[in-house]
Amino acid sequence: MTLNTELKNWVNECAKLCKPDKIVWIDGSLREKELLENEAASKGEITRLNDKKLPGCFYHRTAINDVARTENLTFICTSKKEDAGPNNNWMAPADAYKKAGEIFSGSMKGRTMYVIPFSMGPVGSPFSKIGVELTDSIYVVLNMRIMTRMGSAVLKELEKSNATFTKCLHSKAEFDIKKRLILHFPEDNAIWSVGSGYGGNVLLGKKCLALRIASHIAKTEGWMAEHMLIMGIEEPNGRIGYVAAAFPSACGKTNLAMLIPPEGLRKKGYRIWTVGDDIAWMRVDTDGQLWAINPEAGFFGVAPGTNSKSNSNAVKTVQKNTIFTNVLLKPDMTVWWEDGDGPVPKEGTDWQGRPWKPGLKDKDGNIIKGAHPNSRFTAPMSQCPTASFRIEHHHGVPIAAVIFGGRRAHLMPLVYQSFNWQHGVYVGATMASERTAAQFGKQGEVRRDPMAMLPFCGYNMADYFGHWLGMGKKMLPAPKIFHVNWFRTDDKGKFLWPGYGENLRVLEWILARCRGEVGAKETPIGYIPNPEDIDKKGLDITKAAIDKLLSINVDNWKEELKGHKEFFLEFGERLPKEIWEEYEALAKRLKI
Ligand code: OXD
Ligand code: MN
């Protein structure tokens, strides 16, 4: 129980609705963790993995129709529809409470309701926010234990000042897709999620609180909640420059956050510090600089494609105390996924629980994958070899550069710098990626995803652009804004840039620009590196490839501008005039 009356009343109210047999307050202790693991393992909710090879690790499968965030069932419930904007599904709060209330009603009968007090950000930091999640899933409790700081210390913090908190209610209910809703009530600081067991829908501290609800709070309070990794780049002289970077999904955000410097740069003394791989909360501090914390304490990373070449730090991070969801289970009770390490196993149990062996095909002749393409690992950040020593610092790290990125085969140069903050906001607002063969839909189709926040901005995105513009005026100096593209191809569709650790060469240029140490070429879209200023020592790349990577094609850009206009028109009158100003200025520079 608790001394915080608001919390006590709310827990009672939710218990009355969901009717659990029992209520358990989570304290976050090791003993409690072991008891919950044993209970969930005995019920088959999780499976203990090989304790010698993967100590403290567990395996979990979600329902077959519950393997990713369900954006079509995700709603922002504000009194006025315009406040949710064209970027969100909207439902009136009263309708939403009624509709979901019917599903929650009695949904925890025969189950336990766990009360999880959690802190997004270091406990007690003025940068942090507290939430309390009520859930009937032990899997959720165990994941929240990794992804957030949670338990008694947070409860104490809540009681100290009778502080306010985000009310997060979750029930598995029947895992029925027809009775699944992910609802956000920014005006009530509340989240209701029902009918799902997939991480992005049910670990309510993550996308729901730290992005959708927090973006709304941040706008009101004057800070920024962003879908960004945070990393530090240590130079040979010991100086560390920190950057925050936003990429749409499937662009290697987790890999970049844990980058291994190529041998030459490592020998020179370069080193990477990982602060976060998914979310950044950023504030202007008393020194006028932008400071960022990662509100999370763990990684909820995509498993397929993670291997010792793409991300050896992630591979090292998931060797213990990790929960694997929807990957392939091997007969020796270890796990595997496509494009992972080691030989392809001869047999196993696939993510749907069926016997699996390589080459199996479905009735349409398609290869059956052992792991679901969106299968995940949940692992503590502290286990990452590059985890920053600043993770628990209450004010986080000072941000020198903001980086936007996307997957563009032909349009975008390897890197360019915006002319100033306002132009940088335009660069972020026009961010986009082309669909790859791995994604559903038409290959090559451009999907706009401003600041990688399209599915996560908890309010009208026109106001969000306005908020970005306003934040720039508060900073002295504002970080420089860049755009990168690791995915430019030649005429045969082959990547021109090697990517992975070599991306550090681009980050090196970015930081040199921030410090005013290197020149650049002015072009209609922004500042592009002089080819000689990108360190290419030890890199097997032709001059022609570098020239192509750093070139812009004015005709392609003219075509791109049509897409910008079409996208911005959706926001009508609410779009800040500065965005149209930047549009016109770019058109003029391109001589349209
Ligand atoms: C994630 C996402 O899971 O962006 O991080 O979908
Ligand atoms: Mn994400």
Side-chain angles (χ1 to χ4, degrees):
M1 268 306 221
T2 175
L3 302 171
N4 182 310
T5 36
E6 192 186 349
L7 176 57
K8 193 161 61 186
N9 292 342
W10 172 66
V11 171
N12 286 339
E13 215 178 277
C14 293
K16 228 157 107 192
L17 174 66
C18 303
K19 302 194 176 51
D21 284 10
K22 225 170 46 170
I23 300 178
V24 169
W25 289 71
I26 293 296
D27 64 18
S29 66
L30 219 53
R31 178 167 163 68
E32 174 190 76
K33 171 179 176 273
E34 284 163 10
L35 288 172
L36 288 171
E37 285 168 352
N38 289 340
E39 186 182 337
S42 72
K43 289 182 175 155
E45 189 178 342
I46 56 174
T47 304
R48 195 178 293 278
L49 292 172
N50 186 320
D51 214 37
K52 288 218 167 57
K53 295 181 179 164
L54 291 170
C57 292
F58 287 87
Y59 180 82
H60 174 79
R61 279 190 197 101
T62 60
I64 293 166
N65 67 12
D66 194 19
V67 290
R69 286 183 291 102
T70 37
E71 283 172 24
N72 58 325
L73 302 174
T74 301
F75 291 83
I76 300 295
C77 310
T78 42
S79 328
K80 287 198 221 117
K81 187 167 189 232
E82 314 84 86
D83 290 344
N87 46 298
N88 282 305
N89 300 316
W90 174 83
M91 212 188 285
D95 291 349
Y97 282 126
K98 184 163 179 297
K99 211 165 160 188
E102 282 163 13
I103 312 172
F104 273 114
S105 177
S107 65
M108 296 190 191
K109 268 188 201 148
R111 300 179 183 169
T112 301
M113 175 194 267
Y114 298 97
V115 183
I116 316 169
F118 63 93
S119 175
M120 298 312 292
V123 180
S125 162
F127 273 36
S128 301
K129 293 283 175 200
I130 291 179
V132 179
E133 178 159 355
L134 309 183
T135 180
D136 52 5
S137 157
I138 298 181
Y139 170 75
V140 167
V141 178
L142 295 174
N143 273 273
M144 286 293 281
R145 202 178 186 282
I146 297 173
M147 295 305 296
T148 71
R149 288 104 172 152
M150 53 95 104
S152 308
V154 181
L155 189 60
K156 225 178 266 158
E157 196 63 31
L158 257 179
E159 288 173 342
K160 216 160 58 186
S161 50
N162 223 13
T164 184
F165 57 95
T166 305
K167 300 179 173 81
C168 308
L169 175 62
H170 166 250
S171 173
K172 309 183 271 197
E174 298 154 58
F175 290 130
D176 179 353
I177 196 161
K178 292 197 207 77
K179 293 186 188 163
R180 184 174 300 158
L181 285 168
I182 322 297
L183 307 174
H184 304 74
F185 303 92
E187 292 155 7
D188 299 342
N189 197 7
I191 301 159
W192 277 22
S193 164
V194 69
S196 173
Y198 169 73
N201 290 335
V202 301
L203 308 179
L204 298 184
K206 193 174 179 63
K207 303 298 188 184
C208 300
L209 194 165
L211 288 175
R212 298 196 191 97
I213 292 289
S215 61
H216 169 87
I217 299 175
K219 178 171 179 293
T220 321
E221 294 181 354
W223 51 281
M224 306 169 90
E226 300 300 329
H227 190 201
M228 289 180 169
L229 66 87
I230 310 167
M231 67 194 286
I233 297 121
E234 182 174 333
E235 291 177 77
N237 63 11
R239 189 167 56 171
I240 305 179
Y242 292 92
V243 302
F247 297 86
S249 67
C251 289
K253 210 152 115 234
T254 302
N255 297 350
L256 184 64
M258 300 176 193
L259 173 154
I260 309 259
E263 201 179 320
L265 290 178
R266 195 164 58 232
K267 282 205 182 125
K268 245 162 95 179
Y270 275 91
R271 183 171 179 176
I272 295 302
W273 296 99
T274 308
V275 184
D277 78 326
D278 197 37
I279 300 176
W281 282 3
M282 306 194 285
R283 288 174 197 257
V284 184
D285 215 330
T286 44
D287 59 358
Q289 284 198 75
L290 189 64
W291 288 72
I293 63 161
N294 172 10
E296 302 190 282
F299 304 117
F300 182 62
V302 177
T306 305
N307 58 50
S308 296
K309 175 163 187 265
S310 65
N311 193 340
S312 72
N313 284 319
V315 171
K316 288 180 187 134
T317 305
V318 303
Q319 295 307 313
K320 57 183 181 185
N321 307 319
T322 297
I323 301 172
F324 295 95
T325 303
N326 294 340
V327 297
L328 179 96
L329 186 59
K330 296 199 325 192
D332 68 348
M333 301 307 280
T334 62
V335 291
W336 181 84
W337 47 80
E338 278 71 17
D339 293 323
D341 276 341
V344 178
K346 289 198 182 65
E347 57 177 337
T349 312
D350 76 2
W351 66 274
Q352 298 191 44
R354 305 171 304 188
W356 180 91
K357 53 183 186 201
L360 269 187
K361 292 194 178 147
D362 65 15
K363 60 179 178 4
D364 302 320
N366 300 316
I367 289 280
I368 296 179
K369 293 202 153 92
H372 187 276
N374 192 35
S375 54
R376 300 278 176 153
F377 53 79
T378 319
M381 199 149 70
S382 56
Q383 290 181 187
C384 178
T386 53
S388 164
F389 54 91
R390 292 258 202 172
I391 283 170
E392 294 301 329
H393 283 204
H394 286 191
H395 285 226
V397 297
I399 296 298
V402 166
I403 303 173
F404 296 120
R407 182 184 276 272
R408 303 300 298 263
H410 304 294
L411 184 83
M412 288 288 180
L414 178 62
V415 56
Y416 71 98
Q417 182 189 348
S418 69
F419 293 118
N420 51 46
W421 181 268
Q422 178 170 308
H423 175 227
V425 173
Y426 184 87
V427 170
T430 51
M431 240 175 86
S433 253
E434 281 149 26
R435 271 184 224 272
T436 65
Q439 288 166 309
F440 183 76
K442 205 169 123 220
Q443 212 175 318
E445 189 184 31
V446 175
R447 291 209 304 178
R448 303 251 153 241
D449 189 357
M451 285 84 170
M453 280 289 277
L454 195 65
F456 305 118
C457 181
Y459 59 102
N460 191 317
M461 223 157 192
D463 301 346
Y464 171 78
F465 299 144
H467 181 50
W468 263 83
L469 291 165
M471 285 300 297
K473 298 192 182 109
K474 287 195 196 176
M475 299 173 215
L476 284 171
K480 304 269 185 279
I481 300 182
F482 297 81
H483 188 285
V484 298
N485 176 27
W486 317 131
F487 303 98
R488 200 163 188 177
T489 58
D490 64 15
D491 299 339
K492 296 193 187 81
K494 200 169 155 276
F495 290 125
L496 287 160
W497 180 249
Y500 300 112
E502 310 296 350
N503 293 338
L504 180 56
R505 299 171 192 273
V506 174
L507 299 178
E508 201 185 10
W509 181 81
I510 286 175
L511 287 175
R513 283 296 292 170
C514 292
R515 293 173 184 136
E517 292 167 1
V518 68
K521 196 164 72 196
E522 190 171 334
T523 76
I525 66 162
Y527 298 112
I528 290 185
N530 294 311
E532 62 277 16
D533 290 332
I534 301 267
D535 181 352
K536 293 180 283 302
K537 220 173 295 140
L539 190 63
D540 183 18
I541 193 162
T542 62
K543 182 175 175 312
I546 285 285
D547 288 347
K548 175 104 193 197
L549 278 163
L550 298 178
S551 67
I552 63 160
N553 177 318
V554 171
D555 289 336
N556 288 354
W557 272 91
K558 286 181 178 167
E559 203 48 40
E560 170 75 4
L561 232 66
K562 290 183 193 156
H564 292 186
K565 186 169 185 176
E566 199 181 311
F567 179 67
F568 287 137
L569 283 173
E570 278 178 53
F571 296 96
E573 294 287 300
R574 214 149 158 159
L575 194 77
K577 67 170 187 354
E578 291 87 343
I579 297 290
W580 284 124
E581 267 170 38
E582 287 300 326
Y583 170 84
E584 296 296 343
L586 177 56
K588 203 163 146 203
R589 290 194 301 269
L590 289 166
K591 301 197 174 33
I592 298 179

